[in-house]
Amino acid sequence: MNAPLEPGLYIVATPIGNLGDLSPRAADILSRADVVAVEDSRVTAGLLRHIGVKRPMQPYHDHNGEGVRPGLIARMATESVALVSDAGTPLISDPGYKLVRDARAAGHLVVTIPGPCAAVAALTLAGLPTDRFLFCGFLPSKEKARADAITEIAGIRATLVLYESGPRLSACLTALAAGLGDREAAVTREISKKFEEAVTGTLSSLAARYADGGPRGEIAIVVAPPGDPEPARIEDADEALAEALTRLPVSKAAGEVARAFGLDRKTLYARAMALKSG
Ligand code: SAM
């Protein structure tokens, strides 16, 4: 075996479908770790087989995390613990953040080995703005909770990235169209696998396309940011201006309302004078 790793926690990203995407560094860390914390040992056993190594595995998932975490943290004092999830980057819609938090609190080495992540891969396929994006993970599956979650993100000026399953895809797209407006979007599927695709269109056209049943496989949805708001017209500011004039002298009222509406101060001053005299 190669030289042992320094004790601590190694967060290792693994492929989201194509085993060729496992980085040489990830393979090296996995082959040298004293123990690999895994979501599902059958899934990770397949990955370890692919790189020709056998390592001890410790299941670590949402249902046993509380019980297992202290033992893993204690082991990090003298051993190297690699954390993987079934696919992609641990912690991204997957368990792990409490392990990182507690490892750091205990003063252990924490290292990340970056790699595939479906959210970022979906963004690269969608052809939508990438300068600001919000990762929303899975929306709630119940209708009301999902609509509430969508209302919460509707005003955010960023591209949205969501994970979804095939059977819920159409309902999710319909709810997104209702709550966000009919924005441009992309449904990306089976990224890095044989049937990788990205289907683009408006949210409602995509909902219609998948209405007869969602496609198979793993899906990430990308939704364009909201369009630019309509520029305010001078008439829109009348009410605010009249209210401001009850509290402030004309020039100050014009300045306050100009800032709030993004309008020209001089124009608003003239308007305020007209309002006052008429
Ligand atoms: N940690 C993973 C990552 O870094 O992307 C995500 C884990 S989350 C439990 C699994 C979800 O990610 C799937 O249900 C799907 O929405 C999305 N996903 C995973 N692999 C994908 C792929 N190859 N193509 C599209 N979406 C994928």
Side-chain angles (χ1 to χ4, degrees):
M1 189 174 140
N2 298 327
L5 290 170
E6 206 180 319
L9 175 62
Y10 297 78
I11 304 139
V12 183
T14 61
I16 55 170
N18 188 325
L19 289 175
D21 292 338
L22 185 77
S23 74
R25 185 170 169 232
D28 174 57
I29 298 289
L30 289 177
S31 63
R32 290 198 286 149
D34 291 310
V35 60
V36 185
V38 301
E39 270 192 283
D40 183 332
S41 45
R42 284 163 307 180
V43 174
T44 303
L47 183 69
L48 295 179
R49 225 176 6 255
H50 170 72
I51 56 173
V53 301
K54 271 196 165 160
R55 304 306 308 140
M57 288 185 271
Q58 164 66 63
Y60 180 81
H61 43 68
D62 287 341
H63 306 294
N64 75 350
E66 295 301 314
V68 167
R69 198 157 50 247
L72 280 173
I73 299 291
R75 290 183 73 169
M76 288 171 205
T78 54
E79 293 179 289
S80 52
V81 177
L83 171 70
V84 299
S85 52
D86 285 351
T89 301
L91 283 80
I92 307 302
S93 278
D94 271 333
Y97 91 86
K98 291 179 181 169
L99 198 63
V100 172
R101 179 195 64 192
D102 292 1
R104 183 158 290 118
H108 299 317
L109 174 77
V110 178
V111 179
T112 192
I113 292 82
C117 174
V120 173
L123 271 171
T124 65
L125 283 176
L128 293 170
T130 52
D131 51 333
R132 292 185 89 206
F133 61 87
L134 176 70
F135 174 61
C136 306
F138 291 92
L139 292 180
S141 54
K142 295 217 169 87
E143 206 176 319
K144 165 85 169 72
R146 180 170 55 204
D148 290 347
I150 292 171
T151 304
E152 212 171 275
I153 54 178
I156 292 174
R157 307 197 66 74
T159 293
L160 307 174
V161 187
L162 304 97
Y163 288 161
E164 192 47 282
S165 70
R168 291 207 300 253
L169 180 62
S170 183
C172 179
L173 292 165
T174 305
L176 286 167
L180 302 179
D182 203 10
R183 300 186 196 172
E184 289 297 316
V187 173
T188 66
R189 197 171 68 85
E190 295 288 88
I191 297 171
S192 79
K193 304 185 203 177
K194 188 171 174 195
F195 296 108
E196 171 177 307
E197 67 173 8
V199 181
T200 58
T202 60
L203 285 166
S204 62
S205 71
L206 291 168
R209 178 187 172 121
Y210 294 112
D212 293 337
R216 285 166 188 267
E218 313 238 52
I219 295 165
I221 305 171
V222 185
V223 185
D228 286 334
E230 293 273 307
R233 293 168 311 141
I234 187 89
E235 302 78 33
D236 299 334
D238 276 355
E239 204 178 313
L241 200 52
E243 187 280 324
L245 284 169
T246 64
R247 301 180 276 113
L248 299 168
V250 174
S251 70
K252 285 210 163 135
E256 180 183 284
V257 178
R259 273 193 303 280
F261 283 74
L263 289 166
D264 175 58
R265 194 172 176 285
K266 275 193 182 150
T267 316
L268 272 167
Y269 183 84
R271 187 80 171 180
M273 290 302 277
L275 282 179
K276 246 193 131 124
S277 60

